[in-house]
Amino acid sequence: MSVNTKLYEGKAKILYSTEDPEIFLADFKDDATAFNAQKRGTISGKGTINCSISSKLFLELELSGIKTHYIDSPAPNQMLVKAVKILPIEVVVRNIAAGSLCQQTGLQLGTVLKRPLVEFYYKNDQLGDPLLTLERLLLLELATEEQVRLITHLALQVNDFLIGFFEGCGITLVDFKLEFGVNSQQQILLADEISPDTCRLWDATENDPNLRVMDKDRFRRDLGNVENAYQEVLQRVLKAVDANN
Ligand code: TMP
Ligand code: ASP
């Protein structure tokens, strides 16, 4: 599949068009940013690791009946995806209090939520990706009410699947961020990536609040051993996929 023009360069990926207008190519970078790109760095091997983890998770999600943009991974850090228009909404699902939920509500880190919390953030770097209310989301026409109902339902289904999958890897799924896109037939597909960049993942057998972190919080909070943690997540995901199939 020949690659045409660069469509978009984000903080973690570059998106290219291909000869087929229904197919894009995502190139995963090693670049890492945090706090709306105020903190920058590279995590060596991250592009390959995140692409591999995302590819496996999208395939497993497809098997469980959730439609994703994933087509194939032609190179370790590249993913062929169905062309979609990304909704400008970051959908965050939380099972355990961490990050901005603790900062903004005073809930203590590690508090297990009685039921998953689904939140919407406005994907807008200039505004710093603010938390949205449903009314604001509809006011800004970021999605229709029906789309919001559907993506909420899908996000909870993805959560149910991922909790179980990561449990099988000895990992506790604390929270994660999803993005959804609309294809040319107006169908909603799960898009972007699911990786240690976009999830909080804690080693289930480790109680130390710093040692248990296996995700981008190691980079955000300068905890060290970032590459090792990402690599360990990949190895556990590959093992779990092998065991499932
Ligand atoms: P938060 O606690 O900082 O709001 O993050 C919630 C989840 O969303 C966490 O798993 C990290 C993920 N996330 C992203 O994928 N991209 C982002 O830009 C931010 C802020 C969070
Ligand atoms: N990816 C985000 C940024 O740099 C923030 C984060 O993941 O913490 O803007």
Side-chain angles (χ1 to χ4, degrees), residues 11 33-36 90-94 98-104 119 121 125 128-129 173-179 192-193 195-201 215-217 220:
K11 290 174 222 152
T33 65
F35 314 117
N36 205 10
E90 300 199 335
V91 182
V92 169
V93 183
R94 301 179 190 271
S100 69
L101 181 65
C102 295
Q103 284 155 18
Q104 293 171 11
E119 299 178 322
Y121 292 81
D125 284 341
D129 297 346
L173 178 65
V174 175
D175 58 28
F176 58 96
K177 183 264 300 180
L178 299 176
E179 295 186 24
D192 194 51
E193 66 179 280
S195 71
D197 267 12
T198 63
C199 302
R200 281 198 176 90
L201 304 168
D215 56 72
K216 195 174 166 189
D217 272 349
R220 294 189 189 100

Side-chain angles (χ1 to χ4, degrees), residues 60-114:
E60 294 292 309
L61 283 163
E62 288 275 355
L63 289 175
S64 83
I66 291 162
K67 289 190 167 44
T68 79
H69 70 159
Y70 180 79
I71 299 174
D72 191 17
S73 178
N77 71 325
Q78 291 186 336
M79 195 187 282
L80 284 172
V81 297
K82 293 170 193 156
V84 291
K85 194 166 183 297
I86 298 284
L87 295 171
I89 299 170
E90 300 199 335
V91 182
V92 169
V93 183
R94 301 179 190 271
N95 298 305
I96 295 176
S100 69
L101 181 65
C102 295
Q103 284 155 18
Q104 293 171 11
T105 64
L107 271 175
Q108 210 181 340
L109 175 69
T111 307
V112 177
L113 307 185
K114 288 210 176 93

